[in-house]
Amino acid sequence: MNRLLIALLLAGPATARTIEVAPGPDAQERLQTALIDAHPGDMVALGAGRFELTEGLSLDVAGVIVAGAGMDKTVLSFDGQKGEGEGLLVTSKDVTVRDFAVENARGNGIKAKAADGISFVRLRVVWTHGPKETNGAYGVYPVSSANVLIDGVTVSGASDAGIYVGQSRNIVVKNSRAEFNVAGIEIENSYNADVFDNVATKNAGGILVFDLPGLPQMGGHSVRLFRNKVVDNDTPNFAAKGNIVAGVPTGTGVMVMANRDVHVFDNDISGNGGNAVMVVSYRQAFTDKSYNPLPRAVVIGANKFGRNGFAPAFEGGKGLAAAVGGTLPNVMWDGVTDYVVPGGATISDADNLKINGNVLNLQLKTQGTPVAKAQPRIDTMTYTEGSQLAAIVLPAAQTARASAR
């Protein structure tokens, strides 16, 4: 992209300003005031140092850039936060947040709701006391948004997912690192996502692609996971009881649940004591007649698998491993092909999984069947590669804003 084009894409209102805010006394009031007073096109520039904050921050002005001096130089510290809300909540469009850190938010680190065109760039979100159930749920948390970019972000210690994208569409997650969270990266109830060149390590589960019932947007589909390092996810699950991710077994590499058209290829997956890749249906009862709990058209392409499956922590895992020689194969499928529409008919769909290689098939057949009734067998599957999912393309203006220094 040439400089003239970048300049045109970045061109904002002629009166666009840079509002500088330094750490120090009254940082809470000065920073929140700057976020309120900002106009579309303005930059709120955070100085180097620690901002000691006692309340969550919010931004509801479109087209604003919030930029620090670097993820290791500008720190928004919420050690003294009084409420339970986010560190920073964004509810406006075309916002870029970049080059700072958020530490120890009582709730989520940075949340963006209904924030089309949101970009998270070179951020660090961390709970500094290590994995704890009382840590905030999500580190970086866009929801109900279109055109989402997460690039160069590091998250550690989230009690749900480090990087979580929910009920959104047209998503890119790249060059990021998630460690010591319950789930490293999670794409949930979302459409069209590319997740690539990330590292997910030392979480309970590395990368999850879920679809859940009872949410405004369901039917998650069209997700590509590629060129990620999903290694050594061995942190004991520390999610609060009752949370859906509390059921993610420690040692899971990649988990795909109830999604359609998920392609997993060119990843480095090793050191995960459970499954390298787990493809499963949603197991719990549900009442939403429009919900499909089955994984469909999940393609496991060529990946680099190291040692996995040596210490499965999920229900019945040790018995399954013993039944197949002591170590689980790299890919496990629950074998569920049927489900009952609440108050209706039984639906069958056998187009669940495509792979060239061996799969541990639990043959549970019907959604909700407990693992204790598994009849494990090793299936050798083959398929002819078909059409590929299209790469995600974000708006040029958004990409330009995110790449500008």
Side-chain angles (χ1 to χ4, degrees), residues 15 23 52 84 107 116 177 190 192 259 264 266 348 355 373:
T15 56
E52 301 293 345
E84 297 293 331
D116 294 355
R177 183 180 182 90
S190 291
N192 304 100
N259 245 260
V264 183
D266 290 344
S348 296
I355 182 174
K373 294 188 177 181

Side-chain angles (χ1 to χ4, degrees), residues 93-292:
K93 298 180 179 179
D94 298 326
V95 166
T96 299
V97 288
R98 60 174 173 84
D99 297 307
F100 61 88
V102 170
E103 292 186 356
N104 300 326
R106 293 287 296 274
N108 307 299
I110 305 175
K111 180 177 180 179
K113 184 176 183 181
D116 294 355
I118 182 73
S119 298
F120 303 83
V121 182
R122 297 183 299 276
L123 299 168
R124 181 172 60 86
V125 181
V126 62
W127 284 267
T128 60
H129 301 294
K132 294 174 62 176
E133 180 182 322
T134 53
N135 289 347
Y138 305 116
V140 170
Y141 176 17
V143 63
S144 302
S145 302
N147 298 322
V148 173
L149 172 64
I150 299 172
D151 185 2
V153 168
T154 295
V155 182
S156 177
S159 65
D160 194 307
I163 296 171
Y164 172 93
V165 183
Q167 301 179 73
S168 296
R169 60 185 69 206
N170 218 45
I171 301 147
V172 172
V173 181
K174 63 180 182 177
N175 304 320
S176 295
R177 183 180 182 90
E179 57 187 5
F180 297 106
N181 309 286
V182 173
I185 299 170
E186 182 175 354
I187 308 297
E188 184 176 288
N189 291 56
S190 291
Y191 309 156
N192 304 100
D194 276 353
V195 180
F196 60 98
D197 292 338
N198 304 288
V199 176
T201 185
K202 296 295 180 183
N203 308 285
I207 301 179
L208 315 181
V209 183
F210 280 10
D211 197 71
L212 303 178
L215 294 175
Q217 178 170 301
M218 296 189 298
H221 66 81
S222 305
V223 178
R224 302 194 307 164
L225 311 180
F226 59 101
R227 298 201 311 260
N228 301 289
K229 293 192 68 172
V230 187
V231 298
D232 300 332
N233 288 288
D234 55 7
T235 294
N237 193 315
F238 58 98
K241 291 182 179 178
N243 190 320
I244 189 71
V245 296
V248 175
T250 294
T252 300
V254 173
M255 184 172 180
V256 180
M257 183 176 75
N259 245 260
R260 173 174 63 79
D261 289 309
V262 180
H263 291 195
V264 183
F265 58 98
D266 290 344
N267 300 285
D268 182 350
I269 307 175
S270 66
N272 304 291
N275 298 106
V277 180
M278 178 187 294
V279 180
V280 296
S281 58
Y282 179 76
R283 292 180 57 190
Q284 300 178 25
F286 60 95
T287 58
D288 194 327
K289 296 181 180 179
S290 63
Y291 179 65
N292 188 330

Side-chain angles (χ1 to χ4, degrees), residues 353-358 379-385:
L353 176 62
K354 299 177 181 179
I355 182 174
N356 287 315
N358 292 336
D379 288 346
T380 300
M381 294 184 173
T382 60
Y383 80 100
T384 301
E385 191 167 290

